Amino acid sequence: MTRNVVITCALTGAADSPSKSPHVPVTPAQIADDAIAAARAGAAVVHVHVRHPETGIRSRDVALYREAVRLIRESGVDVVLNLTAGMGGDLVMDEEDPLKPVDGTDLVNAMDRLPHVEELLPDIATLDCGSYNFGDGGALYVSTTDMLRAGAKRFQELGVKPELEVFDSGQLWFAKVMHDEGLIDPPALVQLCMGVPYGAPADPGLLQAMVNLLPADARFTSFALGRDQLPWVAQSVLLGGHARVGLEDNLYLSRGVKATNAQLVERAVTIVEGLGASVATPDQAREIFGLGAAR
Protein backbone atom coordinates (compact mmCIF):
# COMPACT_ATOMS: atom_id res chain seq x y z
CA MET A 1 0.00 0.00 0.00
CA THR A 2 1.50 3.31 -1.08
CA ARG A 3 -0.63 6.27 -0.08
CA ASN A 4 -0.93 8.95 2.57
CA VAL A 5 -3.40 8.33 5.40
CA VAL A 6 -4.84 11.22 7.40
CA ILE A 7 -5.08 10.64 11.15
CA THR A 8 -7.63 12.72 13.03
CA CYS A 9 -7.54 13.03 16.82
CA ALA A 10 -10.90 13.69 18.52
CA LEU A 11 -9.70 15.30 21.71
CA THR A 12 -12.50 15.40 24.27
CA GLY A 13 -16.06 14.97 22.95
CA ALA A 14 -19.21 15.73 24.92
CA ALA A 15 -19.76 12.65 27.11
CA ASP A 16 -19.11 12.42 30.84
CA SER A 17 -15.60 11.11 30.21
CA PRO A 18 -13.60 13.46 32.49
CA SER A 19 -15.05 11.55 35.46
CA LYS A 20 -13.67 8.34 33.97
CA SER A 21 -10.14 9.38 33.01
CA PRO A 22 -7.81 12.10 34.29
CA HIS A 23 -6.36 12.45 30.77
CA VAL A 24 -9.52 13.89 29.18
CA PRO A 25 -8.87 17.62 28.57
CA VAL A 26 -11.46 20.05 29.94
CA THR A 27 -10.24 23.66 29.90
CA PRO A 28 -9.36 25.50 26.69
CA ALA A 29 -5.68 25.38 27.68
CA GLN A 30 -5.82 21.62 28.28
CA ILE A 31 -7.64 21.06 25.00
CA ALA A 32 -5.08 23.15 23.13
CA ASP A 33 -2.18 21.35 24.82
CA ASP A 34 -3.64 18.00 23.79
CA ALA A 35 -4.19 19.25 20.23
CA ILE A 36 -0.55 20.28 20.00
CA ALA A 37 0.67 17.00 21.50
CA ALA A 38 -1.54 15.00 19.11
CA ALA A 39 -0.23 16.97 16.13
CA ARG A 40 3.35 16.35 17.19
CA ALA A 41 2.55 12.64 17.52
CA GLY A 42 1.28 12.46 13.94
CA ALA A 43 -2.30 13.72 13.79
CA ALA A 44 -2.85 15.95 10.77
CA VAL A 45 -6.33 16.95 12.01
CA VAL A 46 -7.66 17.69 15.50
CA HIS A 47 -11.39 17.56 16.21
CA VAL A 48 -12.42 19.99 18.95
CA HIS A 49 -15.32 20.15 21.39
CA VAL A 50 -15.22 22.42 24.44
CA ARG A 51 -16.40 21.96 28.04
CA HIS A 52 -17.30 24.17 30.98
CA PRO A 53 -13.93 24.54 32.75
CA GLU A 54 -15.43 24.23 36.24
CA THR A 55 -17.81 21.31 35.66
CA GLY A 56 -16.40 19.48 32.64
CA ILE A 57 -19.87 19.43 31.07
CA ARG A 58 -20.22 19.90 27.31
CA SER A 59 -20.60 23.48 26.12
CA ARG A 60 -21.46 25.63 23.11
CA ASP A 61 -19.82 28.74 24.58
CA VAL A 62 -18.13 30.64 21.75
CA ALA A 63 -15.64 32.21 24.17
CA LEU A 64 -14.33 28.76 25.10
CA TYR A 65 -13.88 27.83 21.43
CA ARG A 66 -12.22 31.18 20.79
CA GLU A 67 -9.64 30.59 23.52
CA ALA A 68 -8.86 26.99 22.54
CA VAL A 69 -8.50 27.91 18.87
CA ARG A 70 -6.34 30.94 19.68
CA LEU A 71 -3.94 28.80 21.71
CA ILE A 72 -3.70 26.15 18.98
CA ARG A 73 -3.15 28.69 16.20
CA GLU A 74 -0.59 30.68 18.18
CA SER A 75 1.41 27.58 19.13
CA GLY A 76 3.27 27.50 15.82
CA VAL A 77 2.34 23.82 15.39
CA ASP A 78 0.67 23.18 12.04
CA VAL A 79 -2.54 21.18 12.30
CA VAL A 80 -5.86 21.13 10.45
CA LEU A 81 -8.62 22.44 12.70
CA ASN A 82 -11.93 20.59 12.81
CA LEU A 83 -14.60 22.07 15.13
CA THR A 84 -17.75 20.23 16.08
CA ALA A 85 -20.97 21.86 14.95
CA GLY A 86 -23.10 19.05 16.35
CA MET A 87 -23.81 20.61 19.72
CA GLY A 88 -27.37 21.86 20.16
CA GLY A 89 -29.04 18.73 18.80
CA ASP A 90 -29.81 16.95 22.08
CA LEU A 91 -33.43 16.20 22.96
CA VAL A 92 -34.36 14.22 26.07
CA MET A 93 -37.99 13.14 26.16
CA ASP A 94 -40.19 12.31 29.16
CA GLU A 95 -41.68 8.85 28.71
CA GLU A 96 -45.13 9.89 29.88
CA ASP A 97 -45.22 13.43 28.46
CA PRO A 98 -43.01 13.78 25.37
CA LEU A 99 -43.57 17.55 25.25
CA LYS A 100 -42.38 18.10 28.84
CA PRO A 101 -38.92 19.74 29.08
CA VAL A 102 -36.36 17.34 30.52
CA ASP A 103 -32.90 18.05 31.94
CA GLY A 104 -30.20 17.31 29.38
CA THR A 105 -32.08 18.82 26.45
CA ASP A 106 -30.02 21.29 24.44
CA LEU A 107 -31.92 21.75 21.19
CA VAL A 108 -31.47 24.76 18.92
CA ASN A 109 -31.95 25.47 15.22
CA ALA A 110 -29.37 24.94 12.50
CA MET A 111 -27.94 28.47 12.54
CA ASP A 112 -27.67 28.60 16.34
CA ARG A 113 -25.31 25.61 16.15
CA LEU A 114 -22.81 27.60 14.07
CA PRO A 115 -21.77 30.91 15.75
CA HIS A 116 -18.29 29.59 16.69
CA VAL A 117 -17.82 28.32 13.13
CA GLU A 118 -18.89 31.67 11.68
CA GLU A 119 -16.45 33.57 13.91
CA LEU A 120 -13.43 31.26 13.89
CA LEU A 121 -13.64 29.82 10.35
CA PRO A 122 -11.96 26.46 10.96
CA ASP A 123 -10.72 24.34 8.07
CA ILE A 124 -13.46 21.76 8.78
CA ALA A 125 -16.60 21.61 10.90
CA THR A 126 -18.93 18.68 11.40
CA LEU A 127 -22.43 18.28 10.01
CA ASP A 128 -24.34 15.40 11.64
CA CYS A 129 -26.39 13.88 8.83
CA GLY A 130 -29.54 12.70 10.59
CA SER A 131 -31.58 12.09 13.72
CA TYR A 132 -31.39 8.89 15.77
CA ASN A 133 -31.90 7.30 19.19
CA PHE A 134 -28.83 8.27 21.21
CA GLY A 135 -28.32 5.31 23.52
CA ASP A 136 -30.94 3.88 25.88
CA GLY A 137 -33.72 5.88 27.48
CA GLY A 138 -35.33 9.05 26.16
CA ALA A 139 -32.33 10.73 24.49
CA LEU A 140 -32.46 11.64 20.80
CA TYR A 141 -30.07 13.47 18.54
CA VAL A 142 -32.04 15.76 16.23
CA SER A 143 -30.81 16.86 12.81
CA THR A 144 -33.63 17.18 10.28
CA THR A 145 -33.28 17.41 6.53
CA ASP A 146 -34.27 21.10 6.66
CA MET A 147 -31.59 21.76 9.30
CA LEU A 148 -28.99 19.92 7.26
CA ARG A 149 -29.70 21.74 4.03
CA ALA A 150 -29.55 25.09 5.85
CA GLY A 151 -26.30 24.13 7.58
CA ALA A 152 -24.67 22.85 4.39
CA LYS A 153 -25.57 26.06 2.55
CA ARG A 154 -24.08 28.18 5.34
CA PHE A 155 -20.87 26.11 5.27
CA GLN A 156 -20.55 26.85 1.56
CA GLU A 157 -21.01 30.57 2.19
CA LEU A 158 -18.30 30.51 4.88
CA GLY A 159 -15.85 28.43 2.85
CA VAL A 160 -15.66 25.82 5.63
CA LYS A 161 -15.49 22.15 4.60
CA PRO A 162 -18.29 20.10 6.19
CA GLU A 163 -17.26 16.75 7.57
CA LEU A 164 -20.44 14.76 6.97
CA GLU A 165 -20.93 12.73 10.15
CA VAL A 166 -22.76 9.56 9.12
CA PHE A 167 -24.04 7.28 11.88
CA ASP A 168 -26.16 4.93 9.75
CA SER A 169 -26.92 4.01 6.16
CA GLY A 170 -30.00 6.25 5.91
CA GLN A 171 -27.87 9.22 6.91
CA LEU A 172 -25.42 8.31 4.16
CA TRP A 173 -28.35 8.28 1.74
CA PHE A 174 -29.24 11.86 2.68
CA ALA A 175 -25.58 12.96 2.58
CA LYS A 176 -25.57 11.77 -1.04
CA VAL A 177 -28.79 13.72 -1.68
CA MET A 178 -27.11 16.92 -0.44
CA HIS A 179 -24.08 16.11 -2.57
CA ASP A 180 -26.26 15.61 -5.66
CA GLU A 181 -28.13 18.87 -4.93
CA GLY A 182 -24.84 20.77 -5.03
CA LEU A 183 -24.87 21.62 -1.32
CA ILE A 184 -21.55 19.85 -0.72
CA ASP A 185 -18.51 21.16 -2.56
CA PRO A 186 -16.30 18.39 -3.98
CA PRO A 187 -14.60 16.39 -2.78
CA ALA A 188 -17.18 15.32 -0.17
CA LEU A 189 -15.61 14.52 3.21
CA VAL A 190 -17.49 11.75 5.03
CA GLN A 191 -16.89 10.43 8.54
CA LEU A 192 -18.37 6.94 8.98
CA CYS A 193 -19.17 6.72 12.70
CA MET A 194 -19.49 3.11 13.84
CA GLY A 195 -20.59 1.54 17.10
CA VAL A 196 -22.42 4.58 18.51
CA PRO A 197 -25.65 3.31 20.12
CA TYR A 198 -27.98 3.09 18.22
CA GLY A 199 -26.47 3.87 14.87
CA ALA A 200 -24.43 1.57 12.67
CA PRO A 201 -22.74 -1.30 14.54
CA ALA A 202 -18.97 -1.63 14.33
CA ASP A 203 -19.12 -4.44 11.79
CA PRO A 204 -16.46 -4.66 9.06
CA GLY A 205 -18.97 -5.94 6.51
CA LEU A 206 -21.26 -3.01 7.19
CA LEU A 207 -18.36 -0.59 6.83
CA GLN A 208 -17.60 -2.11 3.43
CA ALA A 209 -21.25 -1.73 2.41
CA MET A 210 -21.29 1.92 3.45
CA VAL A 211 -18.03 2.60 1.60
CA ASN A 212 -19.67 1.12 -1.49
CA LEU A 213 -22.46 3.71 -1.20
CA LEU A 214 -20.21 6.78 -1.01
CA PRO A 215 -20.32 9.44 -3.72
CA ALA A 216 -17.66 8.78 -6.34
CA ASP A 217 -15.62 11.86 -5.38
CA ALA A 218 -15.81 11.26 -1.63
CA ARG A 219 -12.91 11.06 0.79
CA PHE A 220 -13.83 9.06 3.88
CA THR A 221 -12.53 8.48 7.33
CA SER A 222 -13.99 6.24 10.01
CA PHE A 223 -13.88 5.42 13.69
CA ALA A 224 -15.35 2.96 16.17
CA LEU A 225 -15.79 3.22 19.92
CA GLY A 226 -13.95 1.73 22.88
CA ARG A 227 -11.99 -1.46 22.33
CA ASP A 228 -12.78 -1.33 18.61
CA GLN A 229 -11.08 2.04 18.09
CA LEU A 230 -7.52 0.95 17.37
CA PRO A 231 -8.36 -2.16 15.29
CA TRP A 232 -10.73 0.08 13.32
CA VAL A 233 -7.79 2.15 12.13
CA ALA A 234 -6.74 -0.86 10.07
CA GLN A 235 -10.32 -1.58 8.92
CA SER A 236 -10.71 1.94 7.57
CA VAL A 237 -7.29 2.14 5.95
CA LEU A 238 -7.63 -1.25 4.24
CA LEU A 239 -10.87 -0.07 2.62
CA GLY A 240 -9.16 3.03 1.21
CA GLY A 241 -10.05 5.49 3.96
CA HIS A 242 -8.47 7.54 6.69
CA ALA A 243 -8.70 7.09 10.46
CA ARG A 244 -9.81 8.81 13.65
CA VAL A 245 -8.68 8.07 17.20
CA GLY A 246 -8.82 10.03 20.45
CA LEU A 247 -10.36 10.27 23.90
CA GLU A 248 -13.75 11.33 22.55
CA ASP A 249 -14.26 7.73 21.43
CA ASN A 250 -12.02 5.57 23.62
CA LEU A 251 -10.21 6.04 26.95
CA TYR A 252 -7.83 3.06 26.85
CA LEU A 253 -4.53 2.23 25.19
CA SER A 254 -4.87 -1.42 26.21
CA ARG A 255 -6.87 -3.35 28.79
CA GLY A 256 -6.77 -1.41 32.06
CA VAL A 257 -4.32 1.21 30.74
CA LYS A 258 -5.76 4.72 30.44
CA ALA A 259 -4.51 6.53 27.34
CA THR A 260 -3.63 10.08 26.44
CA ASN A 261 -4.61 11.54 23.10
CA ALA A 262 -0.98 11.57 21.97
CA GLN A 263 -0.55 7.90 22.87
CA LEU A 264 -3.59 6.94 20.81
CA VAL A 265 -2.21 8.88 17.85
CA GLU A 266 1.17 7.21 18.24
CA ARG A 267 -0.51 3.80 18.18
CA ALA A 268 -2.50 4.78 15.08
CA VAL A 269 0.73 5.85 13.38
CA THR A 270 2.22 2.43 14.13
CA ILE A 271 -0.82 0.69 12.63
CA VAL A 272 -0.87 2.85 9.49
CA GLU A 273 2.84 2.40 8.85
CA GLY A 274 2.58 -1.31 9.60
CA LEU A 275 0.12 -1.57 6.73
CA GLY A 276 2.69 -0.04 4.39
CA ALA A 277 1.04 3.40 4.17
CA SER A 278 2.45 6.78 5.14
CA VAL A 279 1.02 9.20 7.68
CA ALA A 280 -0.18 12.39 6.00
CA THR A 281 1.17 15.77 7.03
CA PRO A 282 -1.28 18.65 7.57
CA ASP A 283 -0.48 20.04 4.11
CA GLN A 284 -1.06 16.64 2.56
CA ALA A 285 -4.34 16.35 4.45
CA ARG A 286 -5.41 19.74 3.07
CA GLU A 287 -4.72 18.52 -0.46
CA ILE A 288 -6.49 15.17 0.07
CA PHE A 289 -9.60 16.76 1.59
CA GLY A 290 -9.64 19.77 -0.76
CA LEU A 291 -9.27 22.36 2.00
CA GLY A 292 -7.10 25.03 0.44
CA ALA A 293 -4.23 26.82 2.17
CA ALA A 294 -3.57 26.81 5.91
CA ARG A 295 -5.53 29.37 7.94
Side-chain angles (χ1 to χ4, degrees):
M1 182 184 299
T2 305
R3 67 181 181 93
N4 294 320
V5 171
V6 178
I7 296 174
T8 295
C9 185
L11 301 169
T12 188
D16 183 27
S17 48
S19 67
K20 301 173 183 177
S21 172
H23 302 306
V24 176
V26 171
T27 69
Q30 291 168 347
I31 291 166
D33 285 347
D34 265 33
I36 294 161
R40 287 174 171 157
V45 181
V46 290
H47 175 58
V48 178
H49 289 247
V50 295
R51 298 175 178 272
H52 290 288
E54 295 80 14
T55 65
I57 295 172
R58 66 190 184 213
S59 176
R60 291 189 286 112
D61 188 338
V62 175
L64 297 175
Y65 280 104
R66 185 183 302 124
E67 180 64 5
V69 169
R70 180 187 68 81
L71 291 169
I72 294 168
R73 285 175 169 166
E74 291 181 357
S75 70
V77 173
D78 187 23
V79 69
V80 175
L81 194 60
N82 176 334
L83 300 186
T84 184
M87 304 298 291
D90 298 301
L91 173 62
V92 183
M93 300 179 68
D94 183 273
E95 183 178 357
E96 300 298 326
D97 182 1
L99 296 180
K100 177 183 176 181
V102 177
D103 287 346
T105 292
D106 178 29
L107 185 61
V108 297
N109 66 39
M111 294 301 100
D112 286 344
R113 302 182 191 188
L114 299 180
H116 61 303
V117 176
E118 293 173 325
E119 177 181 330
L120 300 169
L121 297 177
D123 304 278
I124 301 168
T126 59
L127 192 61
D128 293 47
C129 286
S131 304
Y132 62 102
N133 291 324
F134 195 71
D136 291 313
L140 303 170
Y141 184 81
V142 179
S143 185
T144 68
T145 57
D146 283 347
M147 289 176 172
L148 285 163
R149 285 188 171 101
K153 183 176 180 181
R154 185 63 178 138
F155 276 49
Q156 283 185 319
E157 293 168 349
L158 295 170
V160 172
K161 171 73 75 173
E163 181 181 79
L164 302 173
E165 301 280 291
V166 168
F167 292 83
D168 215 340
S169 56
Q171 296 185 13
L172 180 54
W173 181 1
F174 188 68
K176 289 178 68 177
V177 168
M178 290 193 292
H179 172 271
D180 293 344
E181 291 175 350
L183 290 169
I184 306 299
D185 293 331
L189 173 57
V190 180
Q191 178 77 257
L192 298 174
C193 312
M194 314 296 286
V196 179
Y198 285 101
D203 177 270
L206 182 55
L207 180 64
Q208 175 71 79
M210 293 174 77
V211 169
N212 291 344
L213 294 173
L214 290 168
D217 70 352
R219 311 290 188 265
F220 85 91
T221 182
S222 184
F223 70 86
L225 300 188
R227 70 183 67 184
D228 293 319
Q229 182 183 83
L230 291 169
W232 209 257
V233 172
Q235 296 285 357
S236 188
V237 172
L238 288 171
L239 290 180
H242 306 275
R244 168 171 140 173
V245 295
L247 295 178
E248 176 171 350
D249 307 319
N250 164 48
L251 300 177
Y252 291 90
L253 189 65
S254 58
R255 185 177 180 88
V257 179
K258 299 275 178 78
T260 66
N261 278 306
Q263 287 173 330
L264 291 170
V265 172
E266 288 168 354
R267 185 63 60 83
V269 168
T270 298
I271 294 168
V272 168
E273 292 179 341
L275 294 171
S278 299
V279 174
T281 66
D283 278 343
Q284 289 168 336
R286 292 182 182 101
E287 181 178 0
I288 292 166
F289 292 162
L291 301 179
R295 294 183 174 179

